[in-house]
Amino acid sequence: MKRKQLGNSNFTISAIGLGGMPMSLSSRPPESQSIAVIHRALDLGVTLIDTADSYCQDESDKHHNEHLIAKALQEYSGDVRAVTVATKGGLMRPQGAWTRNGNPHHLRKTIRESFEALGGKEPIDLWQYHSPDPAYTIEAALAPAKEAVEAGMIRFIGVSNFSVEQIKRARDTVEIVSVQNQYNPWHRQPESDGVLEYCETEKLTFFPWSPLGGSRRVTSLQDMPAIAKLAEEKNVSVYCIVLAWLIAQSPCIVPIPGATKVSSVEDSVRALEVKLTDEELQQIAVS
């Protein structure tokens, strides 16, 4: 498995990760199935698992995905010392909705809960502020994360759903190693808003969330002629083509596709073997 440096840190992560979100929403699979998926990802060399305190059904179910990942790692028969778990805080799930909460008191509490959910012994590898809450300054919202680094509960800090200006403000407060924004064939804002270029220039890792378009759009990939044609020519899935396209956009990109089936994680890893020419990348760009 190819590895990449995590931002400017001395940590390395696999060139493709595993997104844990679909394992914990209302349509979640049986726990045993999710653990099998995580174990298969580890077998294949995936060492980055992305999660969040809000990957759950509602507030009564908070931290479900973190507990699940911790259990899977504990039960894995292999060596997990190289595994990086990246979690997030700052979103709430009232009655299953998604709302922002950048209140420093809340973030301080949820960081502690995430730390405990993930084992409570080693620092959280990467904690990310999930989405900036306009009710609180970025500086105030990131203060608890800075405190947690000093207290040994967090190793590295990242941000999510941030603009370039917001990333700069965050970096004036704490050291940032990563940015996680939406990026897929339908949502290509990082190409035009400067975030992707900024991450590449500043050597920050960029995690594209919803890389395959999410549950509502993933099935539409087959209807995109250029992607479908390339998938047929290269004898791979349309999902492999999209992930390979994302990886080719910048050396700082590490996709984190979600999975609830072993076959899905196996397919995602195959994307690292797919090579796209400049002409093929252009075909996708204009599709």
Side-chain angles (χ1 to χ4, degrees):
M1 170 68 72
K2 182 181 178 182
R3 298 179 69 82
K4 291 189 176 184
Q5 189 174 350
L6 175 60
N8 285 304
S9 77
N10 58 355
F11 262 50
T12 60
I13 54 178
S14 52
I16 196 164
L18 171 65
M21 185 173 75
M23 301 178 193
S24 291
L25 300 186
S26 58
S27 58
R28 68 179 58 159
E31 182 180 274
S32 59
Q33 182 176 322
S34 293
I35 289 176
V37 170
I38 295 169
H39 285 179
R40 182 55 179 149
L42 297 174
D43 290 342
L44 293 168
V46 173
T47 62
L48 172 70
I49 304 175
D50 181 76
T51 181
D53 63 353
S54 56
Y55 291 171
C56 56
Q57 293 180 340
D58 54 39
E59 280 300 302
S60 68
D61 191 45
K62 205 70 173 281
H63 301 280
H64 176 273
N65 199 243
E66 293 170 331
H67 283 290
L68 173 67
I69 289 167
K71 183 176 182 179
L73 293 177
Q74 185 178 29
E75 294 181 354
Y76 187 61
S77 60
D79 189 352
V80 297
R81 287 176 295 179
V83 175
T84 295
V85 177
T87 193
K88 296 178 283 293
L91 290 186
M92 307 291 283
R93 300 302 313 280
Q95 288 79 54
W98 299 85
T99 61
R100 301 180 191 183
N101 189 348
N103 185 315
H105 297 295
H106 163 69
L107 293 175
R108 194 170 287 112
K109 176 177 179 287
T110 200
I111 286 171
R112 165 66 66 176
E113 290 171 349
S114 289
F115 172 72
E116 293 172 352
L118 291 169
K121 295 179 181 179
E122 297 295 327
I124 296 169
D125 296 316
L126 173 61
W127 183 88
Q128 303 153 95
Y129 182 25
H130 209 148
S131 188
D133 182 348
Y136 301 90
T137 67
I138 289 171
E139 293 78 8
L142 286 174
K146 185 176 182 179
E147 294 167 9
V149 170
E150 295 166 353
M153 282 194 293
I154 291 175
R155 188 167 279 119
F156 300 114
I157 298 173
V159 294
S160 181
N161 302 302
F162 269 49
S163 67
V164 170
E165 184 57 38
Q166 290 170 327
I167 298 168
K168 290 178 179 178
R169 284 181 59 185
R171 295 181 77 195
D172 286 339
T173 304
V174 294
E175 184 176 351
I176 297 296
V177 299
S178 64
V179 177
Q180 185 172 156
N181 286 5
Q182 187 177 16
Y183 188 26
N184 55 51
W186 294 277
H187 187 98
R188 300 176 61 173
Q189 189 174 336
E191 297 174 6
S192 57
D193 64 10
V195 170
L196 189 55
E197 181 181 5
Y198 180 82
C199 288
E200 188 170 332
T201 301
E202 297 296 313
K203 293 182 170 56
L204 303 177
T205 299
F206 183 92
F207 299 121
W209 66 262
S210 193
L212 299 174
S215 59
R216 289 177 296 178
R217 282 178 163 167
V218 66
T219 55
S220 301
L221 286 171
Q222 192 66 51
D223 299 327
M224 301 180 78
I227 292 173
K229 180 174 179 290
L230 287 169
E232 184 177 1
E233 290 174 353
K234 297 180 183 293
N235 195 31
V236 296
S237 71
V238 288
Y239 317 116
C240 277
I241 295 297
V242 173
L243 293 173
W245 168 76
L246 280 168
I247 292 167
Q249 300 308 303
S250 171
C252 73
I253 288 179
V254 176
I256 44 173
T260 57
K261 298 178 181 178
V262 166
S263 58
S264 296
V265 75
E266 291 174 340
D267 187 68
S268 293
V269 169
R270 289 192 194 100
L272 295 172
E273 303 170 3
V274 176
K275 304 302 179 186
L276 299 173
T277 66
D278 290 341
E279 182 180 352
E280 289 168 340
L281 291 171
Q282 184 60 26
Q283 290 172 12
I284 296 172
V286 300
S287 64

